[in-house]
Amino acid sequence: MTRTVSTDQTTALTGIGAAPILDQARDRVLHRGLGLTQEQILQILELPDALLPAALELAHDVRLKYCGESVEVEGIISVKTGGCPEDCHFCSQSGLFESPVRAVWLDIPGLVQAAQETAATGATEFCIVAAVRGPDLKLMNQIKFAIERINRVVEINIACSLGMLTQRQVDQLAEWGVHRYNHNLETARSFFPEVVTTHDYDERLDTCRMVKDAGMELCCGALIGMGESNAQRAELAAQLAALDPHEVPLNFLNPRPGTPLAGQSIMSGRDALRAIAAFRLAMPRTVLRFGGGRELTLGDLGTREGLLGGINAVIVGNYLTTLGRPATADLDLLVELNMPIRELQKSL
């Protein structure tokens, strides 16, 4: 499962003279296990196209050395879709926008069935998501009962993504055996006010820190392609590295009808691949997961390149309000690339 750079590519690389950052990254990240600095991350994001294969190869080598060959597979399900009171400009679940998504609740039998279907794909993680600012008592009770029911019928790790939490809610989720909690930073602090105004960056960070302190794994991701600069992408990668989450889902904007970002252009596949390499080199030991938007931004070929360029986890099936690749397509690709699915490590 190694990448190779062709003779033509090698000739191109030696003729460009822009490779010092790759030499620095090889020494700092691959050999010493240290993530790149924010300035160095920016240099990776600004590499010319001819150097992209070498950057992806290096990122893949880092992934193999510090994360191993296996790939973690996860499925997600929304227990409450739509009607969110927040104004995240990228999200069709906001109740403040003229989006076709409407509020829908999924009952506990539906959650149990979804968990069973997810486990049947070979996934080891099942994430329950709710479009809320933070969970109320009704939602917390539903999560508690759902966890109990799921654990009776299927062996799978349970994760949650329920918005911003209080300390009591963090403690309850940890007590109920939630394996991992997702709460994304989404974008850099400097760009955040451009896409969210109903809460601030520190509110997100507070939840992330409480989750880590409670002993749950923290899943904290990025959404790129919203109009931020390369410098802001580098800022985000550095901020995530400082937070040191167990997992970082890397999402690419899929502009949704009715949202303020509906007219945003799709980022290029090459820029997406540069981001994958840069985020891996910023966080050599982190689970870096393919999230939403890759089907649109990268397609089949780019998905393959990402798995050979630093990605070591995938969400299979559909997302919350958009269609993903069929689970069988991703699983077949993992077999083709000789990438074993990570075995379940039950935390309950």
Side-chain angles (χ1 to χ4, degrees), residues 64-155:
L64 290 177
K65 181 172 182 178
Y66 294 106
C67 300
E69 293 186 346
S70 63
V71 175
E72 185 182 278
V73 176
E74 178 184 49
I76 61 175
I77 190 71
S78 179
V79 64
K80 177 188 177 290
T81 303
C84 181
E86 305 304 289
D87 73 344
C88 305
H89 292 11
F90 49 84
C91 185
S92 60
Q93 300 200 65
S94 173
L96 304 179
F97 308 140
E98 293 298 323
S99 166
V101 176
R102 292 294 175 259
V104 177
W105 282 85
L106 186 64
D107 60 17
I108 290 176
L111 287 172
V112 173
Q113 180 181 348
Q116 291 175 303
E117 292 172 352
T118 297
T121 69
T124 58
E125 197 85 15
F126 177 67
C127 187
I128 303 172
V129 183
V132 292
R133 176 182 175 87
D136 58 13
L137 182 59
K138 173 188 174 182
L139 179 54
M140 289 295 288
N141 284 335
Q142 186 177 17
I143 295 300
K144 180 177 186 293
F145 294 138
I147 291 171
E148 292 174 353
R149 289 282 302 278
I150 290 169
N151 283 326
R152 290 178 196 166
V153 299
V154 64
E155 187 177 12

Coordinates of all heavy atoms in Angstrom, one line a residue, residues 64-155:
L64 N 0.7 6.0 7.4 CA 1.1 4.6 7.7 C 1.9 4.5 8.9 O 1.8 3.6 9.7 CB 1.8 4.0 6.5 CG 0.9 3.8 5.2 CD1 1.8 3.3 4.1 CD2 -0.2 2.9 5.5
K65 N 2.9 5.4 9.1 CA 3.8 5.3 10.2 C 3.1 5.5 11.5 O 3.4 4.8 12.5 CB 5.0 6.3 10.0 CG 6.0 6.2 11.1 CD 7.2 7.0 10.8 CE 8.3 6.9 12.0 NZ 9.5 7.7 11.7
Y66 N 2.3 6.5 11.6 CA 1.7 6.9 12.9 C 0.3 6.5 13.2 O -0.2 6.5 14.3 CB 1.8 8.5 13.0 CG 3.3 8.9 13.1 CD1 3.9 9.6 12.0 CD2 4.0 8.7 14.2 CE1 5.2 9.9 12.0 CE2 5.4 9.1 14.3 CZ 5.9 9.7 13.2 OH 7.2 10.1 13.2
C67 N -0.4 6.1 12.1 CA -1.8 5.6 12.3 C -2.0 4.2 11.9 O -3.1 3.6 12.2 CB -2.8 6.5 11.5 SG -2.7 8.2 12.0
G68 N -1.1 3.6 11.1 CA -1.3 2.2 10.6 C -2.1 2.1 9.3 O -2.5 3.1 8.8
E69 N -2.3 0.9 8.9 CA -2.9 0.7 7.6 C -4.4 0.7 7.7 O -5.1 0.9 6.6 CB -2.5 -0.7 7.0 CG -1.0 -0.8 6.6 CD -0.7 -2.1 6.0 OE1 -1.5 -3.0 6.0 OE2 0.4 -2.2 5.3
S70 N -5.0 0.4 8.8 CA -6.4 0.2 8.9 C -7.2 1.5 8.7 O -6.7 2.6 9.0 CB -6.8 -0.4 10.2 OG -6.5 0.4 11.3
V71 N -8.4 1.4 8.3 CA -9.3 2.5 8.0 C -10.6 2.3 8.9 O -11.2 1.3 9.0 CB -9.8 2.6 6.5 CG1 -10.8 3.7 6.3 CG2 -8.5 2.8 5.7
E72 N -10.9 3.4 9.6 CA -12.1 3.4 10.4 C -13.4 3.8 9.6 O -13.3 4.8 8.9 CB -12.0 4.3 11.6 CG -13.2 4.2 12.6 CD -13.1 5.1 13.8 OE1 -12.4 4.8 14.7 OE2 -13.7 6.2 13.7
V73 N -14.4 3.0 9.7 CA -15.6 3.2 8.9 C -16.7 3.6 9.9 O -17.0 2.9 10.9 CB -16.0 1.9 8.1 CG1 -17.3 2.1 7.4 CG2 -14.9 1.6 7.1
E74 N -17.5 4.6 9.5 CA -18.5 5.2 10.4 C -19.8 5.4 9.6 O -19.7 5.8 8.4 CB -18.1 6.4 11.1 CG -19.1 7.1 12.0 CD -18.7 8.4 12.6 OE1 -18.2 9.3 11.8 OE2 -18.8 8.6 13.8
G75 N -20.9 5.2 10.2 CA -22.2 5.7 9.6 C -22.8 6.7 10.5 O -22.6 6.7 11.8
I76 N -23.6 7.6 10.0 CA -24.2 8.7 10.8 C -25.7 8.7 10.5 O -26.2 8.3 9.4 CB -23.6 10.1 10.5 CG1 -23.8 10.5 9.0 CG2 -22.2 10.1 10.9 CD1 -23.3 11.9 8.7
I77 N -26.5 9.1 11.5 CA -27.9 9.2 11.4 C -28.4 10.4 12.2 O -27.9 10.8 13.2 CB -28.6 7.9 11.9 CG1 -30.1 7.9 11.6 CG2 -28.5 7.8 13.4 CD1 -30.4 7.7 10.1
S78 N -29.4 11.1 11.6 CA -29.9 12.3 12.3 C -31.2 12.0 13.1 O -32.2 11.5 12.5 CB -30.3 13.4 11.2 OG -30.8 14.5 11.9
V79 N -31.1 12.2 14.4 CA -32.3 12.0 15.2 C -33.3 13.1 15.1 O -34.5 13.0 15.3 CB -31.9 11.7 16.7 CG1 -31.2 12.9 17.3 CG2 -33.1 11.3 17.5
K80 N -32.7 14.3 14.9 CA -33.6 15.5 14.6 C -33.0 16.3 13.5 O -31.9 16.8 13.5 CB -33.6 16.4 15.9 CG -34.4 17.7 15.6 CD -34.3 18.7 16.7 CE -35.1 20.0 16.4 NZ -34.4 20.8 15.3
T81 N -33.7 16.4 12.4 CA -33.3 17.0 11.2 C -34.0 18.3 11.0 O -35.3 18.4 11.1 CB -33.5 16.1 10.0 OG1 -32.9 14.9 10.2 CG2 -33.0 16.8 8.7
G82 N -33.3 19.4 10.7 CA -33.9 20.7 10.4 C -34.4 21.4 11.6 O -34.4 20.9 12.8
G83 N -34.8 22.7 11.4 CA -35.4 23.5 12.5 C -34.4 24.0 13.5 O -34.8 24.4 14.6
C84 N -33.1 24.0 13.1 CA -32.1 24.5 14.1 C -32.2 26.0 14.2 O -32.3 26.7 13.2 CB -30.7 24.1 13.6 SG -29.4 24.6 14.7
P85 N -32.0 26.5 15.5 CA -32.1 28.0 15.7 C -30.9 28.8 15.3 O -30.9 30.0 15.3 CB -32.4 28.1 17.2 CG -31.7 26.9 17.8 CD -31.9 25.8 16.8
E86 N -29.8 28.1 15.0 CA -28.5 28.7 14.7 C -28.5 29.1 13.2 O -29.2 28.6 12.4 CB -27.3 27.9 15.0 CG -27.4 27.4 16.5 CD -27.4 28.6 17.4 OE1 -26.4 29.3 17.6 OE2 -28.5 28.8 18.1
D87 N -27.6 30.1 12.8 CA -27.5 30.6 11.5 C -26.3 30.2 10.7 O -25.8 31.0 9.9 CB -27.7 32.1 11.5 CG -26.5 32.9 12.0 OD1 -25.6 32.2 12.6 OD2 -26.4 34.1 11.7
C88 N -25.7 29.0 10.9 CA -24.6 28.6 10.2 C -24.9 28.6 8.7 O -25.7 27.9 8.2 CB -24.2 27.1 10.6 SG -23.9 26.9 12.4
H89 N -24.1 29.5 8.0 CA -24.5 29.9 6.6 C -24.4 28.7 5.6 O -24.9 28.8 4.5 CB -23.7 31.0 6.2 CG -23.9 32.3 6.9 ND1 -24.7 32.4 8.0 CD2 -23.5 33.6 6.6 CE1 -24.8 33.7 8.4 NE2 -24.1 34.4 7.6
F90 N -23.7 27.7 6.0 CA -23.5 26.5 5.1 C -24.6 25.4 5.3 O -24.6 24.5 4.5 CB -22.1 25.9 5.4 CG -21.9 25.7 6.9 CD1 -22.3 24.5 7.5 CD2 -21.2 26.6 7.6 CE1 -22.1 24.3 8.9 CE2 -20.9 26.4 9.0 CZ -21.4 25.3 9.6
C91 N -25.4 25.6 6.3 CA -26.2 24.5 6.8 C -27.7 24.6 6.4 O -28.4 25.6 6.8 CB -26.1 24.3 8.3 SG -27.0 22.8 8.9
S92 N -28.2 23.6 5.7 CA -29.6 23.7 5.2 C -30.6 23.3 6.4 O -31.8 23.3 6.2 CB -29.8 22.7 4.0 OG -29.5 21.4 4.4
Q93 N -30.0 22.9 7.5 CA -30.9 22.5 8.6 C -31.2 23.7 9.5 O -32.0 23.6 10.5 CB -30.2 21.5 9.5 CG -29.9 20.2 8.7 CD -29.7 19.0 9.6 OE1 -30.6 18.6 10.3 NE2 -28.5 18.5 9.6
S94 N -30.7 24.9 9.2 CA -31.1 26.1 10.0 C -32.5 26.5 9.7 O -33.0 26.5 8.5 CB -30.2 27.3 9.6 OG -30.6 28.5 10.2
G95 N -33.3 26.7 10.8 CA -34.6 27.2 10.6 C -34.8 28.6 10.2 O -35.9 29.1 10.0
L96 N -33.6 29.3 10.1 CA -33.7 30.7 9.7 C -33.6 31.0 8.2 O -33.8 32.1 7.8 CB -32.5 31.5 10.4 CG -32.4 31.3 12.0 CD1 -31.2 32.0 12.5 CD2 -33.7 31.8 12.6
F97 N -33.3 29.9 7.4 CA -33.2 30.1 6.0 C -34.3 29.4 5.3 O -35.0 28.6 5.8 CB -31.9 29.5 5.5 CG -30.6 29.9 6.3 CD1 -29.6 29.0 6.6 CD2 -30.5 31.2 6.7 CE1 -28.5 29.4 7.3 CE2 -29.4 31.7 7.4 CZ -28.4 30.8 7.7
E98 N -34.5 29.9 4.0 CA -35.5 29.3 3.1 C -35.0 28.0 2.5 O -34.7 28.0 1.3 CB -36.0 30.3 2.1 CG -36.7 31.5 2.6 CD -38.0 31.1 3.3 OE1 -38.7 30.2 2.8 OE2 -38.3 31.8 4.4
S99 N -34.8 27.0 3.3 CA -34.3 25.7 2.9 C -35.4 24.7 2.7 O -36.4 24.8 3.5 CB -33.2 25.2 3.9 OG -32.9 23.9 3.6
P100 N -35.3 23.8 1.8 CA -36.3 22.7 1.7 C -36.3 21.7 2.8 O -37.3 20.9 3.0 CB -36.0 22.0 0.4 CG -34.5 22.3 0.2 CD -34.3 23.7 0.7
V101 N -35.3 21.7 3.7 CA -35.2 20.8 4.8 C -36.2 21.3 5.9 O -36.2 22.4 6.3 CB -33.8 20.7 5.4 CG1 -33.8 19.8 6.6 CG2 -32.8 20.2 4.3
R102 N -37.0 20.3 6.4 CA -37.9 20.7 7.5 C -37.7 19.8 8.7 O -37.1 18.7 8.6 CB -39.4 20.4 7.0 CG -39.8 21.5 5.9 CD -39.8 22.9 6.5 NE -40.1 23.9 5.5 CZ -39.2 24.7 4.9 NH1 -37.9 24.5 5.3 NH2 -39.5 25.6 4.0
A103 N -38.1 20.2 9.8 CA -37.8 19.5 11.1 C -38.5 18.2 11.1 O -39.7 18.0 10.9 CB -38.3 20.4 12.3
V104 N -37.7 17.1 11.4 CA -38.2 15.8 11.5 C -37.5 15.1 12.6 O -36.3 15.2 12.8 CB -37.9 15.0 10.2 CG1 -38.4 13.5 10.3 CG2 -38.6 15.6 9.0
W105 N -38.2 14.3 13.5 CA -37.6 13.5 14.5 C -37.6 12.1 14.2 O -38.6 11.6 13.6 CB -38.4 13.7 15.8 CG -38.2 15.0 16.5 CD1 -38.7 16.2 16.3 CD2 -37.2 15.2 17.6 NE1 -38.2 17.2 17.1 CE2 -37.3 16.6 18.0 CE3 -36.4 14.4 18.3 CZ2 -36.5 17.2 19.0 CZ3 -35.6 14.9 19.3 CH2 -35.7 16.3 19.7
L106 N -36.6 11.3 14.5 CA -36.5 9.9 14.4 C -36.7 9.2 15.7 O -36.1 9.6 16.7 CB -35.2 9.5 13.8 CG -35.0 8.0 13.4 CD1 -35.9 7.7 12.2 CD2 -33.5 7.8 13.0
D107 N -37.6 8.2 15.7 CA -37.9 7.6 17.0 C -36.8 6.5 17.4 O -35.9 6.2 16.6 CB -39.3 6.9 17.0 CG -39.4 5.9 15.9 OD1 -38.4 5.4 15.4 OD2 -40.6 5.5 15.6
I108 N -36.9 6.0 18.6 CA -35.9 5.1 19.1 C -35.8 3.8 18.2 O -34.7 3.3 17.8 CB -36.1 4.8 20.5 CG1 -35.7 6.0 21.4 CG2 -35.2 3.6 21.0 CD1 -35.9 5.9 22.8
P109 N -36.9 3.2 17.8 CA -36.8 2.0 17.0 C -36.1 2.3 15.6 O -35.3 1.5 15.1 CB -38.3 1.6 16.7 CG -39.0 2.1 17.9 CD -38.3 3.4 18.3
G110 N -36.3 3.5 15.1 CA -35.6 3.9 13.9 C -34.1 4.0 14.1 O -33.3 3.7 13.3
L111 N -33.7 4.6 15.3 CA -32.3 4.7 15.6 C -31.7 3.3 15.7 O -30.5 3.0 15.3 CB -32.1 5.4 16.9 CG -32.3 7.0 16.8 CD1 -32.3 7.6 18.2 CD2 -31.3 7.6 15.9
V112 N -32.3 2.4 16.4 CA -31.8 1.0 16.6 C -31.7 0.3 15.2 O -30.6 -0.3 14.9 CB -32.8 0.2 17.5 CG1 -32.3 -1.3 17.5 CG2 -32.8 0.8 18.9
Q113 N -32.7 0.5 14.3 CA -32.6 -0.1 13.0 C -31.4 0.5 12.2 O -30.6 -0.2 11.6 CB -33.9 0.1 12.2 CG -33.8 -0.5 10.8 CD -35.1 -0.2 10.1 OE1 -36.1 0.2 10.6 NE2 -35.1 -0.5 8.8
A114 N -31.2 1.8 12.3 CA -30.1 2.4 11.6 C -28.8 1.9 12.1 O -27.8 1.8 11.4 CB -30.2 4.0 11.8
A115 N -28.6 1.7 13.5 CA -27.4 1.2 14.0 C -27.1 -0.2 13.5 O -26.0 -0.5 13.2 CB -27.5 1.2 15.6
Q116 N -28.1 -1.0 13.5 CA -28.0 -2.4 12.9 C -27.5 -2.4 11.5 O -26.6 -3.1 11.1 CB -29.3 -3.2 13.1 CG -29.6 -3.5 14.5 CD -31.0 -4.2 14.6 OE1 -32.0 -3.6 14.2 NE2 -31.0 -5.3 15.2
E117 N -28.1 -1.5 10.7 CA -27.8 -1.4 9.3 C -26.3 -0.9 9.1 O -25.6 -1.3 8.2 CB -28.8 -0.5 8.5 CG -30.2 -1.1 8.4 CD -31.2 -0.1 7.9 OE1 -30.8 1.1 7.8 OE2 -32.3 -0.5 7.6
T118 N -26.0 0.1 10.0 CA -24.6 0.6 9.9 C -23.6 -0.5 10.3 O -22.6 -0.7 9.6 CB -24.5 1.8 10.9 OG1 -25.3 2.8 10.5 CG2 -23.0 2.3 10.9
A119 N -23.8 -1.3 11.3 CA -22.9 -2.3 11.7 C -22.8 -3.4 10.6 O -21.7 -4.0 10.4 CB -23.4 -3.0 13.0
A120 N -23.9 -3.6 9.9 CA -23.9 -4.6 8.8 C -22.9 -4.3 7.7 O -22.5 -5.1 7.0 CB -25.3 -4.8 8.3
T121 N -22.6 -3.0 7.5 CA -21.7 -2.6 6.5 C -20.2 -2.8 6.9 O -19.3 -2.7 6.1 CB -21.8 -1.1 6.2 OG1 -21.3 -0.3 7.3 CG2 -23.2 -0.7 5.9
G122 N -20.0 -3.2 8.2 CA -18.6 -3.3 8.7 C -18.2 -2.1 9.5 O -17.0 -2.1 10.0
A123 N -19.0 -1.1 9.6 CA -18.6 0.1 10.4 C -18.5 -0.3 11.8 O -19.2 -1.1 12.4 CB -19.7 1.2 10.2
T124 N -17.6 0.4 12.5 CA -17.4 0.2 13.9 C -17.9 1.4 14.8 O -17.8 1.4 16.0 CB -15.9 0.0 14.2 OG1 -15.2 1.1 13.8 CG2 -15.4 -1.2 13.6
E125 N -18.4 2.4 14.1 CA -18.8 3.7 14.8 C -20.2 4.1 14.2 O -20.4 4.1 13.0 CB -17.8 4.8 14.6 CG -17.9 5.9 15.6 CD -17.2 5.7 16.9 OE1 -16.4 4.8 16.9 OE2 -17.5 6.5 17.8
F126 N -21.1 4.4 15.1 CA -22.4 4.9 14.8 C -22.7 6.2 15.5 O -22.7 6.3 16.7 CB -23.5 3.9 15.2 CG -24.9 4.3 14.9 CD1 -25.3 4.5 13.6 CD2 -25.8 4.5 15.9 CE1 -26.7 4.8 13.3 CE2 -27.1 4.9 15.7 CZ -27.5 5.1 14.4
C127 N -22.9 7.3 14.7 CA -23.0 8.6 15.3 C -24.4 9.1 15.2 O -25.0 9.2 14.1 CB -22.0 9.6 14.6 SG -22.0 11.2 15.3
I128 N -25.0 9.5 16.3 CA -26.3 10.1 16.4 C -26.2 11.6 16.4 O -25.5 12.2 17.3 CB -27.0 9.6 17.6 CG1 -27.1 8.1 17.7 CG2 -28.5 10.2 17.7 CD1 -27.6 7.5 19.0
V129 N -26.8 12.3 15.4 CA -26.7 13.7 15.2 C -28.0 14.4 15.4 O -29.1 13.8 15.0 CB -26.1 14.0 13.8 CG1 -25.9 15.5 13.6 CG2 -24.9 13.2 13.6
A130 N -28.0 15.6 16.0 CA -29.2 16.4 16.1 C -29.0 17.8 15.7 O -27.9 18.4 16.1 CB -29.8 16.3 17.5
A131 N -29.9 18.4 14.9 CA -29.7 19.8 14.5 C -30.3 20.7 15.6 O -31.5 21.1 15.5 CB -30.5 20.0 13.2
V132 N -29.5 21.0 16.6 CA -29.9 21.8 17.7 C -28.8 22.7 18.1 O -27.6 22.4 17.8 CB -30.4 20.9 18.9 CG1 -31.6 20.2 18.6 CG2 -29.3 20.0 19.3
R133 N -29.1 23.8 18.8 CA -28.0 24.6 19.5 C -27.3 23.7 20.5 O -26.1 23.7 20.7 CB -28.6 25.9 20.1 CG -27.5 26.7 20.8 CD -28.1 27.9 21.5 NE -27.2 28.6 22.3 CZ -26.3 29.5 21.8 NH1 -26.3 29.9 20.5 NH2 -25.4 30.1 22.6
G134 N -28.2 23.0 21.3 CA -27.7 22.1 22.4 C -28.9 21.3 22.8 O -30.1 21.7 22.6
P135 N -28.7 20.1 23.4 CA -29.8 19.2 23.7 C -30.6 19.7 24.9 O -30.1 20.2 25.9 CB -29.1 17.9 24.0 CG -27.7 18.3 24.5 CD -27.4 19.6 23.7
D136 N -31.9 19.5 24.8 CA -32.8 19.8 25.9 C -33.1 18.5 26.6 O -32.5 17.4 26.3 CB -34.1 20.4 25.5 CG -34.9 19.6 24.5 OD1 -34.6 18.4 24.3 OD2 -35.9 20.1 23.9
L137 N -33.9 18.5 27.7 CA -34.1 17.3 28.5 C -34.7 16.2 27.7 O -34.4 15.0 27.8 CB -35.0 17.6 29.7 CG -35.3 16.5 30.7 CD1 -34.0 15.9 31.3 CD2 -36.3 17.0 31.8
K138 N -35.7 16.5 26.8 CA -36.3 15.5 25.9 C -35.3 14.8 25.1 O -35.3 13.5 25.0 CB -37.4 16.2 25.0 CG -38.0 15.2 24.0 CD -38.9 16.0 23.0 CE -39.4 15.1 21.9 NZ -40.2 15.8 20.9
L139 N -34.4 15.5 24.4 CA -33.4 14.9 23.6 C -32.4 14.1 24.4 O -32.0 13.0 23.9 CB -32.7 16.0 22.8 CG -31.6 15.5 21.8 CD1 -32.1 14.5 20.8 CD2 -31.0 16.7 21.0
M140 N -32.0 14.6 25.5 CA -31.0 13.8 26.3 C -31.7 12.5 26.7 O -31.0 11.4 26.7 CB -30.6 14.6 27.6 CG -29.7 15.8 27.3 SD -28.1 15.3 26.6 CE -27.3 14.6 28.1
N141 N -32.9 12.5 27.1 CA -33.6 11.3 27.5 C -33.7 10.3 26.3 O -33.5 9.1 26.5 CB -35.0 11.5 28.0 CG -35.0 12.1 29.5 OD1 -34.0 11.8 30.2 ND2 -36.0 12.8 29.8
Q142 N -34.0 10.8 25.1 CA -34.1 10.0 24.0 C -32.7 9.4 23.7 O -32.6 8.2 23.3 CB -34.5 10.8 22.7 CG -34.8 9.9 21.5 CD -35.3 10.7 20.3 OE1 -35.3 11.9 20.3 NE2 -35.9 10.0 19.4
I143 N -31.6 10.1 23.8 CA -30.3 9.6 23.6 C -30.0 8.5 24.6 O -29.4 7.4 24.2 CB -29.2 10.7 23.7 CG1 -29.5 11.8 22.5 CG2 -27.8 10.1 23.6 CD1 -29.3 11.2 21.1
K144 N -30.3 8.7 25.8 CA -30.1 7.7 26.9 C -30.8 6.4 26.5 O -30.1 5.3 26.6 CB -30.5 8.2 28.2 CG -30.3 7.2 29.4 CD -30.7 7.9 30.7 CE -30.4 7.0 31.9 NZ -31.1 5.7 31.9
F145 N -32.0 6.5 26.2 CA -32.8 5.2 25.9 C -32.3 4.6 24.6 O -32.3 3.3 24.5 CB -34.3 5.6 25.8 CG -34.9 6.0 27.1 CD1 -35.8 7.1 27.2 CD2 -34.5 5.4 28.3 CE1 -36.3 7.5 28.4 CE2 -35.1 5.8 29.5 CZ -36.0 6.9 29.6
A146 N -31.9 5.4 23.6 CA -31.4 4.9 22.4 C -30.1 4.1 22.6 O -29.9 3.0 22.0 CB -31.2 6.0 21.4
I147 N -29.2 4.6 23.4 CA -28.0 4.0 23.7 C -28.2 2.6 24.3 O -27.6 1.6 24.0 CB -27.1 4.8 24.6 CG1 -26.6 6.1 23.8 CG2 -25.9 4.0 25.1 CD1 -25.9 7.1 24.6
E148 N -29.1 2.6 25.3 CA -29.5 1.3 26.0 C -30.0 0.3 25.0 O -29.6 -0.9 25.0 CB -30.5 1.6 27.1 CG -29.9 2.4 28.3 CD -31.0 2.8 29.3 OE1 -32.2 2.5 29.0 OE2 -30.6 3.4 30.3
R149 N -30.9 0.7 24.2 CA -31.5 -0.2 23.2 C -30.5 -0.7 22.2 O -30.5 -1.9 21.8 CB -32.7 0.5 22.5 CG -33.9 0.7 23.4 CD -34.7 -0.6 23.6 NE -35.2 -1.1 22.3 CZ -36.2 -0.7 21.7 NH1 -37.0 0.3 22.2 NH2 -36.6 -1.3 20.5
I150 N -29.7 0.2 21.7 CA -28.7 -0.2 20.6 C -27.8 -1.2 21.2 O -27.4 -2.2 20.6 CB -28.0 1.1 20.1 CG1 -28.9 1.9 19.3 CG2 -26.8 0.7 19.3 CD1 -28.4 3.3 18.9
N151 N -27.3 -1.0 22.4 CA -26.3 -1.9 23.0 C -26.9 -3.3 23.3 O -26.1 -4.2 23.5 CB -25.8 -1.3 24.3 CG -24.8 -0.2 24.1 OD1 -24.0 -0.2 23.1 ND2 -24.8 0.8 24.9
R152 N -28.2 -3.4 23.4 CA -28.8 -4.7 23.6 C -28.8 -5.6 22.3 O -28.8 -6.8 22.4 CB -30.3 -4.6 24.0 CG -30.5 -4.0 25.4 CD -32.0 -3.9 25.6 NE -32.3 -3.0 26.8 CZ -33.5 -2.5 27.1 NH1 -34.5 -2.8 26.3 NH2 -33.6 -1.7 28.1
V153 N -28.8 -4.9 21.1 CA -29.0 -5.7 19.9 C -27.8 -5.7 19.0 O -27.7 -6.5 18.0 CB -30.2 -5.2 19.2 CG1 -31.5 -5.3 20.0 CG2 -30.1 -3.7 18.8
V154 N -26.8 -4.8 19.1 CA -25.7 -4.7 18.2 C -24.5 -4.2 18.9 O -24.5 -3.4 19.8 CB -26.1 -3.8 17.0 CG1 -26.3 -2.3 17.4 CG2 -25.0 -3.8 15.9
E155 N -23.3 -4.7 18.4 CA -22.0 -4.3 19.0 C -21.4 -3.3 18.1 O -20.9 -3.5 17.0 CB -21.1 -5.5 19.1 CG -19.8 -5.2 19.8 CD -18.9 -6.4 20.0 OE1 -19.2 -7.4 19.3 OE2 -17.9 -6.3 20.7

